[in-house]
Amino acid sequence: MPLPPLSLYIHLPWCERKCPYCDFNSHEAALIPEQAYVRALLTDLEADQSLAAGREVQTLFIGGGTPSLFSADAIALLLQGIAQQLNLSPGLEATMEANPGSAEADKFLGFREAGINRLSLGIQSFQDTKLAALGRVHTAEQARAAIEHARAAGFDNFNLDLMHGLPGQSPADALNDLQTAIDFQPPHLSWYQLTIEPNTVFHKRPPTLPVEDTLADIQDAGEELLAGNGYGQYEVSAYSHPGRQCRHNLNYWSFGDYLAIGAGAHGKITAADGRVSRYAKTRSPQDYLNAGGKSVTASSRVLGSSELIEEFMLFNLRLNQGFNASDFEARTGLPFSTLQPKLDALIARELLQLENGRTIATDLGRRFLDSVIAEFLDDDD
């Protein structure tokens, strides 16, 4: 069985201020031990080299937290160390998440020179009242300036991260934000609805969000606006100009493999014998830093058949292109016939459909995607 493409995820867990909607492994810090953390990351990667097994790494993604709080020198040192340990593709897509604050934007040229060739800017909104409601530390003016800084630094490949369904947001507000983003002509847009997650400030003290009908109106009008401006939707919340899809996330959603380093980072690897494993690193940044060369892998497990089916469907049905039988068999090692009864039932209910040999979610299925995925849960779960 051919192995899937391989990527690398790097987690930098610190931020200036924890946003009230954020459930990621991120921690507020006035001072970041960046040199010590870069050393810890490279030690972590060295311990995981056997997982890579010499395979070529197609993409890397530095997420957080707020990676752009790190200095350009630290990112350069990190990327140099990675290049010494892994077989990186000559066409490597190297993405880094960045906040639009002026201090971070001043570093964009340094990040580009270090080897980052794609930025993902956490804009969220172009309205100061909405940014304040989300607990963001940047202003609308800084958001606009950061996009110009990214272009001036040589980034012709970048993403704008934008939310809708914000506290007190009307459809006009949401579409104004989206149109402002489109006017900058980013190659890629991540446009998604704010959700309230457990273990967040918003979960403890929920804000007043738009009602369901308003959210549906925003979604429908936004998708029409994006399509009319040349942005093709290829995943539930991802839109791009032709050929500018995020290759890293496409590998993730296609159930590809990815190494993971950093506090709380999660990885997935397919072994030569076809077994698929997931693993997670020590969550606490301090424990990660204090490991002293000891293993920072906190958990690891081989996925069983029911988990393989569930996870494959969870990711692939988010993609507009869906999947075909050979995709499923290559990624899971299971016969496609194991899916057929449930696929037939969902097709009969008009939640899934076959298109050119590929199984994709219908418009109705995408609206109730969680329920569609639930159909593939093991009966004992």
Side-chain angles (χ1 to χ4, degrees):
M1 183 176 76
L3 295 176
L6 181 64
S7 296
L8 170 65
Y9 176 72
I10 305 145
H11 193 69
L12 309 187
W14 291 282
C15 55
E16 185 176 345
R17 185 169 71 197
K18 182 88 170 179
C19 295
Y21 58 83
C22 178
D23 68 338
F24 296 150
N25 183 31
S26 59
H27 306 265
E28 294 183 13
L31 295 174
I32 297 174
E34 59 177 28
Q35 297 298 321
Y37 193 69
V38 167
R39 289 194 296 271
L41 287 169
L42 295 176
T43 299
D44 185 3
L45 182 60
E46 186 175 7
D48 280 359
Q49 277 194 319
S50 62
L51 298 178
R55 294 160 62 186
E56 188 174 76
V57 174
Q58 305 291 324
T59 70
L60 67 80
F61 193 104
I62 305 177
T66 306
S68 53
L69 291 176
F70 275 61
S71 69
D73 286 345
I75 297 301
L77 186 64
L78 173 62
L79 295 182
Q80 290 163 12
I82 290 170
Q84 290 170 3
Q85 295 193 41
L86 295 179
N87 178 20
L88 300 180
S89 166
L92 179 77
E93 176 193 84
T95 303
M96 179 176 176
E97 291 181 338
N99 266 6
S102 56
E104 290 97 322
D106 286 343
K107 304 174 188 175
F108 287 175
L109 180 58
F111 295 147
R112 186 76 178 87
E113 292 173 344
I116 299 298
N117 55 30
R118 184 176 183 273
L119 280 183
S120 181
L121 298 174
I123 303 294
Q124 314 314 352
S125 175
F126 288 98
Q127 300 172 50
D128 285 330
T129 55
K130 299 299 183 286
L131 290 170
L134 291 172
R136 302 294 289 176
V137 297
H138 68 270
T139 65
E141 181 181 354
Q142 287 174 325
R144 292 180 172 89
I147 300 169
E148 299 299 344
H149 274 292
R151 280 211 171 93
F155 286 100
D156 62 353
N157 193 11
F158 62 93
N159 168 63
L160 301 185
D161 214 55
L162 205 65
M163 286 185 178
H164 61 86
L166 308 181
Q169 189 178 51
S170 67
D173 286 338
L175 294 176
N176 182 61
D177 264 352
L178 187 55
Q179 184 63 62
T180 301
I182 289 170
D183 288 344
F184 282 102
Q185 285 295 291
H188 191 284
L189 270 165
S190 296
W191 187 65
Y192 55 96
Q193 182 182 320
L194 170 66
T195 56
I196 306 300
E197 303 291 346
N199 302 314
T200 65
V201 172
F202 274 178
H203 189 261
K204 296 174 184 174
R205 297 188 292 276
T208 301
L209 301 181
V211 297
E212 287 296 325
D213 286 349
T214 300
L215 293 172
D217 289 344
I218 290 172
Q219 186 72 41
D220 291 344
E223 289 182 0
E224 183 177 346
L225 181 62
L226 285 158
N229 283 274
Y231 288 90
Q233 184 184 34
Y234 67 96
E235 189 267 345
V236 169
S237 60
Y239 306 78
S240 76
H241 285 156
R244 291 303 188 98
Q245 297 93 337
C246 177
R247 289 165 46 207
H248 184 89
N249 284 342
L250 266 177
N251 188 41
Y252 179 76
W253 291 319
S254 301
F255 210 47
D257 282 354
Y258 47 98
L259 300 167
I261 57 174
H266 288 248
K268 170 190 171 285
I269 288 293
T270 304
D273 62 6
R275 290 183 302 167
V276 178
S277 298
R278 284 203 176 276
Y279 63 92
K281 299 298 173 63
T282 299
R283 184 175 175 84
S284 162
Q286 199 57 53
D287 289 346
Y288 187 88
L289 283 165
N290 292 340
K294 296 180 181 177
S295 174
V296 290
T297 299
S299 64
S300 179
R301 74 182 194 282
V302 176
L303 301 185
S305 296
S306 61
E307 289 177 300
L308 286 168
I309 293 171
E310 175 189 342
E311 292 199 13
F312 180 91
M313 301 304 288
L314 173 66
F315 294 117
N316 278 267
L317 286 180
R318 291 180 63 91
L319 293 169
N320 287 37
Q321 67 181 16
F323 65 94
N324 60 26
S326 61
D327 292 334
F328 176 78
E329 293 180 349
R331 294 291 187 268
T332 67
L334 301 172
F336 188 69
S337 58
T338 58
L339 288 182
Q340 204 64 62
K342 290 182 178 180
L343 289 182
D344 290 343
L346 289 165
I347 289 170
R349 292 163 57 189
E350 299 185 346
L351 295 169
L352 297 180
Q353 64 185 11
L354 285 176
E355 188 174 293
N356 298 321
R358 302 188 71 83
T359 301
I360 63 174
T362 64
D363 289 342
L364 180 64
R366 291 172 76 82
R367 184 168 296 182
F368 299 100
L369 194 56
D370 288 346
S371 297
V372 174
I373 301 301
E375 294 293 324
F376 295 93
L377 295 176
D378 188 76
D379 294 336
D380 294 331
D381 287 349

